[in-house]
């Protein structure tokens, strides 16, 4: 049987993270079913906080062995975001294992490391203009990675005028594609928050499976010993 995982992002374009949740689970011998509700369809008052999103899920009868919640660190940093997630889960779904996916400062910092992917998503894979991408070890020090990513995509597109204006309007879709295409063995390996996501997810999967094996939840999964780390 499978571990039931609830993924909550900040928006629809965060859904690409589920690709990596599924990949990590499969790599380490877990069978999973991931629920990724369209939080943007919720009333505005019900999608403002992690707690309010979880309350909606419980109201419709969702039951899960593991909760994975994405929150950009923004200016607050990793620890306050983890505490926010912990408080929300403990108040709405107590005793349920959870994992925080917390890029520093924004998820866009993960998406401007692979030049080939940027050019492909921008629709100009053979472009030759210099993109001057940041080095992985320093990408999370950029104050506004969203603006920088949008700039790099526009540059990679080679477009101008009205075509460029229309291109920029598709940024959420470009962002989703880039997130889905992250190479887990590529330059992302040098980004600390990405490594924390991988390690924390594996720990969460192990805990959820262990609780099932102990009979604390409905049995679903079997686990084999993992080995973590980028090549």
């Amino acid at each position: 049987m499978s571990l039931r995982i609830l993924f909550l992002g900040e928006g629809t374009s965060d859904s690409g993270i589920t690709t990596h949740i599924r990949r990590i689970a499969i790599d380490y011998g877990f069978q999973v079913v991931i629920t990724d509700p369209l939080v943007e369809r919720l009333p505005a008052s019900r999608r403002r906080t992690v707690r309010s999103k979880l309350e909606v899920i419980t109201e419709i009868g969702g039951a899960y062995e593991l909760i994975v919640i994405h929150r950009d660190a923004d200016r607050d940093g990793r620890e306050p975001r983890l505490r926010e997630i912990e408080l929300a889960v403990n108040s709405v779904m107590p005793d349920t294992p959870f994992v925080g996916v917390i890029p520093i400062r924004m998820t866009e910092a993960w998406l401007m490391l692979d030049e080939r992917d940027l050019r492909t998503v921008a629709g100009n894979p053979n472009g030759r203009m210099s993109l001057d991408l940041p080095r992985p070890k320093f990408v999370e020090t950029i104050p506004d990675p969203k603006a920088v990513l949008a700039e790099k995509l526009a540059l990679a597109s080679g477009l101008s005028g009205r075509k460029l204006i229309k291109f920029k309007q598709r940024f959420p879709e470009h962002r989703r594609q880039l997130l889905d295409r992250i190479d887990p063995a590529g330059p992302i390996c040098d980004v600390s928050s990405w490594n924390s996501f991988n390690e924390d997810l594996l720990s969460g999967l192990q805990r959820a499976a262990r609780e099932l094996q102990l009979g604390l939840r409905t049995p679903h999964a079997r686990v084999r010993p993992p080995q973590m780390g980028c090549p």
Side-chain angles (χ1 to χ4, degrees):
M1 301 287 289
S2 299
L3 286 171
R4 297 168 295 184
I5 298 177
L6 170 66
F7 172 75
L8 288 180
E10 294 188 331
T12 302
S13 61
D14 296 320
S15 292
I17 294 174
T18 62
T19 297
H20 304 287
I21 295 172
R22 186 173 292 104
R23 172 185 53 78
I24 292 168
I26 291 172
D27 284 350
Y28 294 99
F30 297 91
Q31 298 180 39
V32 298
V33 174
I34 301 173
T35 297
D36 178 13
L38 297 176
V39 296
E40 290 183 349
R41 292 186 178 180
L42 299 177
S45 62
R46 304 301 303 275
R47 61 175 186 258
R48 290 176 180 170
T49 66
V50 174
R51 178 170 178 167
S52 63
K53 293 174 187 176
L54 289 174
E55 287 172 343
V56 173
I57 297 300
T58 59
E59 288 170 9
I60 63 177
Y64 304 93
E65 281 75 53
L66 181 65
I67 304 169
V68 181
I69 298 175
H70 163 252
R71 284 285 278 129
D72 285 340
D74 296 321
R75 297 180 181 274
D76 293 332
R78 174 178 169 81
E79 293 306 318
R81 287 297 189 225
L82 280 175
R83 182 60 177 161
E84 173 191 345
I85 292 169
E86 179 182 17
L87 289 172
V89 173
N90 288 343
S91 64
V92 181
M93 297 182 178
D95 302 320
T96 305
F98 67 90
V99 174
V101 184
I102 308 174
I104 311 297
R105 308 173 176 248
M106 301 176 185
T107 308
E108 284 79 6
W110 289 357
L111 309 181
M112 62 178 86
L113 301 176
D114 192 310
E115 182 173 328
R116 181 177 59 182
D117 280 352
L118 273 169
R119 294 188 190 279
T120 298
V121 170
N124 188 17
N126 298 318
R128 296 295 183 88
M129 65 291 290
S130 173
L131 301 184
D132 191 24
L133 299 180
R135 294 172 61 186
K137 289 186 178 180
F138 303 106
V139 71
E140 293 193 303
T141 66
I142 296 173
D144 189 351
K146 183 175 183 179
V148 174
L149 177 62
E151 173 190 323
K152 300 300 183 185
L153 280 167
L155 181 61
S157 74
L159 299 173
S160 60
R162 291 185 178 180
K163 289 184 178 180
L164 180 59
I165 293 173
K166 291 183 178 180
F167 175 86
K168 289 181 176 180
Q169 293 172 347
R170 298 196 297 273
F171 179 77
E173 173 59 20
H174 296 150
R175 180 186 184 278
R176 186 197 62 77
Q177 291 181 38
L178 286 169
L179 187 53
D180 186 67
R181 294 171 66 96
I182 289 176
D183 179 2
I188 196 74
C189 282
D190 288 328
V191 180
S192 61
S193 66
W194 172 263
N195 291 322
S196 294
F197 158 53
N198 281 255
E199 294 164 3
D200 293 348
L201 177 60
L202 180 56
S203 295
L205 289 165
Q206 288 176 314
R207 178 186 167 189
R210 184 167 58 249
E211 291 189 0
L212 292 177
Q213 291 172 339
L214 291 173
L216 301 178
R217 298 177 185 276
T218 304
H220 278 281
R222 299 176 65 181
V223 188
R224 64 178 173 86
Q227 294 180 345
M228 280 301 294
C230 289

